[in-house]
Amino acid sequence: MLVLDGKIASAAVKASLLQKTDALKAAGKRTPHLAAILVGNNGASETYVASKVKNCDETGFGSSLIRFDNDVTEADLLAKIHALNEDKNVDGILVQLPLPKHIHDEKIIEAIHPNKDVDGFHPMNIGRMVQGMDTFIPATPYGVLLMLEYFKIETKGKHVVVIGRSNIVGRPMSILLSGDRPQGNASVTLCHRNTPKEETIKLAQQADILVVAVGIPNFVSAEMIKPGAVIIDVGITRVEDATAKKGFRIKGDVNYEAAIAKASAVTPVPGGVGLMTIAGLLMNTMKAYEGKF
Ligand code: GUN
């Protein structure tokens, strides 16, 4: 059983990026810069954004964290994005989701210049991705691809079952893995909340690679895992636990003990896909800096 350790795979990605930024610095050049916008004080979002900023530091990238109160107007948020779009020292812009209910996510995402959309959420970039064109791939699916590449997991001709159809993970993941690309060429089945659970179970049992992104701890039980399957657990849910130092524990979507008993390879939570998401984001920010598409 192989643990698909996100620490190891993301360290490799970060080391190659650090080499590039060291070379840029040695040549007296500016390094990539990420601007992250955080609205409100959602605990999980705070943690994710802090981690993104820290990882920028570690790879020699510049970063700015721009905070707004929960009651920020859509107009103020849009004005900031427009300013960042114009700022020549900012290569990548991300707006941490979820946003407060009075803000329309789509409007905010569409306001980000597609060439600075390092989250890969802009409809133009999604369209490019669907067509197999070069673009920013959404950070989490990109991180999963980087993980599969690092651990040399073959996807061609395999049956992949993706559970969850979010715009951020499940849907782009299903498109990428079925595409004609490295870490693609799989036959992909996409299950979601309207797939009867017994059907999801039956399909999961046939999966050579099972990708789960539903945000429900322990959604995948032992019976859903084909012996020898590769399990990619994208879930990161905070579960209250009075015995934990912070008062909660991070849980994935997969019963980890069941997975390590039956699968050939499993991503741990924490320490798996979450770290790869940041690697994907950093890769996209370097790509934005290099102006490669
Ligand atoms: N919220 C959960 N995942 C993500 C992500 O990848 N990017 C942003 N901006 N927000 C998120």
Side-chain angles (χ1 to χ4, degrees), residues 48 52 94-98 119 121 139-140 168 277:
Y48 297 149
K52 289 170 183 178
L94 79 81
V95 179
Q96 188 65 27
L97 303 177
D119 256 330
F121 294 164
T140 299
I168 292 181
T277 293

Side-chain angles (χ1 to χ4, degrees), residues 109-110 114 117 119-138 167 171-172 175-176 293:
I109 289 166
E110 277 193 283
D117 168 41
D119 256 330
F121 294 164
H122 192 287
M124 194 184 104
N125 289 324
I126 299 283
R128 293 179 66 93
M129 179 196 70
V130 171
Q131 305 225 43
M133 295 163 77
D134 188 24
T135 188
F136 299 114
I137 298 172
N167 286 339
R171 184 162 316 276
I175 291 164
L176 290 160
F293 91 96

Side-chain angles (χ1 to χ4, degrees), residues 153-160 177 181 183-187 209:
I153 291 175
E154 181 62 78
T155 54
K156 189 175 176 179
K158 297 288 166 68
H159 182 200
V160 176
L177 289 167
R181 58 188 331 286
Q183 292 81 47
N185 292 304
S187 310
I209 301 172

Side-chain angles (χ1 to χ4, degrees), residues 30-33 82-92 116 288-289:
R30 171 178 93 71
T31 62
H33 189 105
H82 292 142
L84 292 170
N85 283 341
E86 295 300 318
D87 188 337
K88 292 206 163 39
N89 290 314
V90 169
D91 303 288
K116 295 193 176 189
Y289 173 88

